[in-house]
mmCIF file with all atom_site columns, all heavy atoms in Angstrom:
data_model
loop_
_atom_site.group_PDB
_atom_site.id
_atom_site.type_symbol
_atom_site.label_atom_id
_atom_site.label_alt_id
_atom_site.label_comp_id
_atom_site.label_asym_id
_atom_site.label_entity_id
_atom_site.label_seq_id
_atom_site.pdbx_PDB_ins_code
_atom_site.Cartn_x
_atom_site.Cartn_y
_atom_site.Cartn_z
_atom_site.occupancy
_atom_site.B_iso_or_equiv
_atom_site.pdbx_formal_charge
_atom_site.auth_seq_id
_atom_site.auth_comp_id
_atom_site.auth_asym_id
_atom_site.auth_atom_id
_atom_site.pdbx_PDB_model_num
ATOM 1   N N   . GLY B 1 145 ? 42.748 10.156 8.777  1.00 87.00 ? 145 GLY B N   1
ATOM 2   C CA  . GLY B 1 145 ? 43.988 10.274 7.969  1.00 87.00 ? 145 GLY B CA  1
ATOM 3   C C   . GLY B 1 145 ? 45.201 10.754 8.645  1.00 87.00 ? 145 GLY B C   1
ATOM 4   O O   . GLY B 1 145 ? 46.126 11.322 7.909  1.00 87.00 ? 145 GLY B O   1
ATOM 5   N N   . TYR B 1 146 ? 45.206 10.811 9.994  1.00 90.00 ? 146 TYR B N   1
ATOM 6   C CA  . TYR B 1 146 ? 46.420 11.306 10.658 1.00 90.00 ? 146 TYR B CA  1
ATOM 7   C C   . TYR B 1 146 ? 47.581 10.285 10.516 1.00 90.00 ? 146 TYR B C   1
ATOM 8   O O   . TYR B 1 146 ? 47.197 9.076  10.532 1.00 90.00 ? 146 TYR B O   1
ATOM 9   C CB  . TYR B 1 146 ? 46.100 11.572 12.149 1.00 90.00 ? 146 TYR B CB  1
ATOM 10  C CG  . TYR B 1 146 ? 45.439 12.798 12.478 1.00 90.00 ? 146 TYR B CG  1
ATOM 11  C CD1 . TYR B 1 146 ? 43.996 12.832 12.140 1.00 90.00 ? 146 TYR B CD1 1
ATOM 12  C CD2 . TYR B 1 146 ? 45.991 13.977 12.867 1.00 90.00 ? 146 TYR B CD2 1
ATOM 13  C CE1 . TYR B 1 146 ? 43.307 14.095 12.459 1.00 90.00 ? 146 TYR B CE1 1
ATOM 14  C CE2 . TYR B 1 146 ? 45.256 15.147 13.128 1.00 90.00 ? 146 TYR B CE2 1
ATOM 15  C CZ  . TYR B 1 146 ? 43.943 15.206 12.977 1.00 90.00 ? 146 TYR B CZ  1
ATOM 16  O OH  . TYR B 1 146 ? 43.262 16.229 13.149 1.00 90.00 ? 146 TYR B OH  1
ATOM 17  N N   . THR B 1 147 ? 48.828 10.633 10.552 1.00 90.00 ? 147 THR B N   1
ATOM 18  C CA  . THR B 1 147 ? 49.920 9.709  10.454 1.00 90.00 ? 147 THR B CA  1
ATOM 19  C C   . THR B 1 147 ? 50.207 9.261  12.007 1.00 90.00 ? 147 THR B C   1
ATOM 20  O O   . THR B 1 147 ? 49.722 9.946  12.924 1.00 90.00 ? 147 THR B O   1
ATOM 21  C CB  . THR B 1 147 ? 51.085 10.417 9.910  1.00 90.00 ? 147 THR B CB  1
ATOM 22  O OG1 . THR B 1 147 ? 51.534 11.509 10.794 1.00 90.00 ? 147 THR B OG1 1
ATOM 23  C CG2 . THR B 1 147 ? 50.894 10.906 8.476  1.00 90.00 ? 147 THR B CG2 1
ATOM 24  N N   . LYS B 1 148 ? 50.916 8.179  11.947 1.00 91.00 ? 148 LYS B N   1
ATOM 25  C CA  . LYS B 1 148 ? 51.329 7.731  13.343 1.00 91.00 ? 148 LYS B CA  1
ATOM 26  C C   . LYS B 1 148 ? 52.119 8.655  14.094 1.00 91.00 ? 148 LYS B C   1
ATOM 27  O O   . LYS B 1 148 ? 51.935 8.805  15.312 1.00 91.00 ? 148 LYS B O   1
ATOM 28  C CB  . LYS B 1 148 ? 52.055 6.305  13.087 1.00 91.00 ? 148 LYS B CB  1
ATOM 29  C CG  . LYS B 1 148 ? 51.211 5.284  12.554 1.00 91.00 ? 148 LYS B CG  1
ATOM 30  C CD  . LYS B 1 148 ? 51.960 3.968  12.290 1.00 91.00 ? 148 LYS B CD  1
ATOM 31  C CE  . LYS B 1 148 ? 51.033 2.873  11.673 1.00 91.00 ? 148 LYS B CE  1
ATOM 32  N NZ  . LYS B 1 148 ? 51.003 2.930  10.220 1.00 91.00 ? 148 LYS B NZ  1
ATOM 33  N N   . GLU B 1 149 ? 53.004 9.416  13.383 1.00 90.00 ? 149 GLU B N   1
ATOM 34  C CA  . GLU B 1 149 ? 53.841 10.445 13.987 1.00 90.00 ? 149 GLU B CA  1
ATOM 35  C C   . GLU B 1 149 ? 52.869 11.544 14.570 1.00 90.00 ? 149 GLU B C   1
ATOM 36  O O   . GLU B 1 149 ? 53.076 12.075 15.681 1.00 90.00 ? 149 GLU B O   1
ATOM 37  C CB  . GLU B 1 149 ? 54.687 11.027 12.953 1.00 90.00 ? 149 GLU B CB  1
ATOM 38  C CG  . GLU B 1 149 ? 55.812 11.962 13.510 1.00 90.00 ? 149 GLU B CG  1
ATOM 39  C CD  . GLU B 1 149 ? 56.705 12.531 12.410 1.00 90.00 ? 149 GLU B CD  1
ATOM 40  O OE1 . GLU B 1 149 ? 56.630 12.253 11.304 1.00 90.00 ? 149 GLU B OE1 1
ATOM 41  O OE2 . GLU B 1 149 ? 57.483 13.460 12.797 1.00 90.00 ? 149 GLU B OE2 1
ATOM 42  N N   . GLU B 1 150 ? 51.874 11.954 13.868 1.00 90.00 ? 150 GLU B N   1
ATOM 43  C CA  . GLU B 1 150 ? 51.009 12.975 14.404 1.00 90.00 ? 150 GLU B CA  1
ATOM 44  C C   . GLU B 1 150 ? 50.216 12.453 15.559 1.00 90.00 ? 150 GLU B C   1
ATOM 45  O O   . GLU B 1 150 ? 50.063 13.213 16.462 1.00 90.00 ? 150 GLU B O   1
ATOM 46  C CB  . GLU B 1 150 ? 49.981 13.388 13.210 1.00 90.00 ? 150 GLU B CB  1
ATOM 47  C CG  . GLU B 1 150 ? 50.674 14.239 12.228 1.00 90.00 ? 150 GLU B CG  1
ATOM 48  C CD  . GLU B 1 150 ? 49.716 14.422 10.925 1.00 90.00 ? 150 GLU B CD  1
ATOM 49  O OE1 . GLU B 1 150 ? 48.872 13.571 10.590 1.00 90.00 ? 150 GLU B OE1 1
ATOM 50  O OE2 . GLU B 1 150 ? 49.766 15.515 10.276 1.00 90.00 ? 150 GLU B OE2 1
ATOM 51  N N   . ILE B 1 151 ? 49.784 11.226 15.450 1.00 92.00 ? 151 ILE B N   1
ATOM 52  C CA  . ILE B 1 151 ? 49.036 10.676 16.635 1.00 92.00 ? 151 ILE B CA  1
ATOM 53  C C   . ILE B 1 151 ? 49.938 10.608 17.869 1.00 92.00 ? 151 ILE B C   1
ATOM 54  O O   . ILE B 1 151 ? 49.582 10.840 18.954 1.00 92.00 ? 151 ILE B O   1
ATOM 55  C CB  . ILE B 1 151 ? 48.451 9.286  16.321 1.00 92.00 ? 151 ILE B CB  1
ATOM 56  C CG1 . ILE B 1 151 ? 47.408 9.434  15.113 1.00 92.00 ? 151 ILE B CG1 1
ATOM 57  C CG2 . ILE B 1 151 ? 47.674 8.698  17.386 1.00 92.00 ? 151 ILE B CG2 1
ATOM 58  C CD1 . ILE B 1 151 ? 46.882 8.160  14.517 1.00 92.00 ? 151 ILE B CD1 1
ATOM 59  N N   . SER B 1 152 ? 51.266 10.163 17.575 1.00 92.00 ? 152 SER B N   1
ATOM 60  C CA  . SER B 1 152 ? 52.122 10.079 18.783 1.00 92.00 ? 152 SER B CA  1
ATOM 61  C C   . SER B 1 152 ? 52.294 11.487 19.336 1.00 92.00 ? 152 SER B C   1
ATOM 62  O O   . SER B 1 152 ? 52.533 11.584 20.580 1.00 92.00 ? 152 SER B O   1
ATOM 63  C CB  . SER B 1 152 ? 53.392 9.442  18.418 1.00 92.00 ? 152 SER B CB  1
ATOM 64  O OG  . SER B 1 152 ? 54.182 10.321 17.638 1.00 92.00 ? 152 SER B OG  1
ATOM 65  N N   . ALA B 1 153 ? 52.291 12.537 18.673 1.00 90.00 ? 153 ALA B N   1
ATOM 66  C CA  . ALA B 1 153 ? 52.392 13.855 19.030 1.00 90.00 ? 153 ALA B CA  1
ATOM 67  C C   . ALA B 1 153 ? 51.184 14.366 19.824 1.00 90.00 ? 153 ALA B C   1
ATOM 68  O O   . ALA B 1 153 ? 51.189 14.943 20.993 1.00 90.00 ? 153 ALA B O   1
ATOM 69  C CB  . ALA B 1 153 ? 52.650 14.892 17.948 1.00 90.00 ? 153 ALA B CB  1
ATOM 70  N N   . ILE B 1 154 ? 50.069 13.831 19.386 1.00 90.00 ? 154 ILE B N   1
ATOM 71  C CA  . ILE B 1 154 ? 48.714 14.210 19.919 1.00 90.00 ? 154 ILE B CA  1
ATOM 72  C C   . ILE B 1 154 ? 48.657 13.602 21.354 1.00 90.00 ? 154 ILE B C   1
ATOM 73  O O   . ILE B 1 154 ? 48.294 14.250 22.368 1.00 90.00 ? 154 ILE B O   1
ATOM 74  C CB  . ILE B 1 154 ? 47.508 13.706 19.042 1.00 90.00 ? 154 ILE B CB  1
ATOM 75  C CG1 . ILE B 1 154 ? 47.447 14.673 17.842 1.00 90.00 ? 154 ILE B CG1 1
ATOM 76  C CG2 . ILE B 1 154 ? 46.204 13.783 19.915 1.00 90.00 ? 154 ILE B CG2 1
ATOM 77  C CD1 . ILE B 1 154 ? 46.591 14.098 16.777 1.00 90.00 ? 154 ILE B CD1 1
ATOM 78  N N   . PHE B 1 155 ? 49.070 12.289 21.496 1.00 89.00 ? 155 PHE B N   1
ATOM 79  C CA  . PHE B 1 155 ? 48.922 11.614 22.782 1.00 89.00 ? 155 PHE B CA  1
ATOM 80  C C   . PHE B 1 155 ? 50.216 11.711 23.597 1.00 89.00 ? 155 PHE B C   1
ATOM 81  O O   . PHE B 1 155 ? 50.284 11.152 24.697 1.00 89.00 ? 155 PHE B O   1
ATOM 82  C CB  . PHE B 1 155 ? 48.645 10.126 22.465 1.00 89.00 ? 155 PHE B CB  1
ATOM 83  C CG  . PHE B 1 155 ? 47.249 9.904  22.041 1.00 89.00 ? 155 PHE B CG  1
ATOM 84  C CD1 . PHE B 1 155 ? 46.999 9.090  20.952 1.00 89.00 ? 155 PHE B CD1 1
ATOM 85  C CD2 . PHE B 1 155 ? 46.032 10.580 22.696 1.00 89.00 ? 155 PHE B CD2 1
ATOM 86  C CE1 . PHE B 1 155 ? 45.688 8.999  20.543 1.00 89.00 ? 155 PHE B CE1 1
ATOM 87  C CE2 . PHE B 1 155 ? 44.799 10.311 22.276 1.00 89.00 ? 155 PHE B CE2 1
ATOM 88  C CZ  . PHE B 1 155 ? 44.543 9.518  21.129 1.00 89.00 ? 155 PHE B CZ  1
ATOM 89  N N   . ASP B 1 156 ? 51.256 12.406 22.976 1.00 87.00 ? 156 ASP B N   1
ATOM 90  C CA  . ASP B 1 156 ? 52.461 12.510 23.591 1.00 87.00 ? 156 ASP B CA  1
ATOM 91  C C   . ASP B 1 156 ? 53.095 11.139 24.061 1.00 87.00 ? 156 ASP B C   1
ATOM 92  O O   . ASP B 1 156 ? 53.363 10.916 25.267 1.00 87.00 ? 156 ASP B O   1
ATOM 93  C CB  . ASP B 1 156 ? 52.456 13.397 24.882 1.00 87.00 ? 156 ASP B CB  1
ATOM 94  C CG  . ASP B 1 156 ? 53.729 13.976 25.371 1.00 87.00 ? 156 ASP B CG  1
ATOM 95  O OD1 . ASP B 1 156 ? 54.701 13.861 24.499 1.00 87.00 ? 156 ASP B OD1 1
ATOM 96  O OD2 . ASP B 1 156 ? 53.822 14.393 26.484 1.00 87.00 ? 156 ASP B OD2 1
ATOM 97  N N   . CYS B 1 157 ? 53.090 10.205 23.174 1.00 91.00 ? 157 CYS B N   1
ATOM 98  C CA  . CYS B 1 157 ? 53.555 8.842  23.456 1.00 91.00 ? 157 CYS B CA  1
ATOM 99  C C   . CYS B 1 157 ? 54.411 8.351  22.247 1.00 91.00 ? 157 CYS B C   1
ATOM 100 O O   . CYS B 1 157 ? 54.434 8.961  21.220 1.00 91.00 ? 157 CYS B O   1
ATOM 101 C CB  . CYS B 1 157 ? 52.319 7.992  23.682 1.00 91.00 ? 157 CYS B CB  1
ATOM 102 S SG  . CYS B 1 157 ? 51.421 7.599  22.131 1.00 91.00 ? 157 CYS B SG  1
#
Side-chain angles (χ1 to χ4, degrees):
Chain B
Y146 284 79
T147 64
K148 295 178 180 85
E149 189 182 356
E150 286 170 328
I151 298 171
S152 74
I154 288 168
F155 290 129
D156 197 20
C157 67

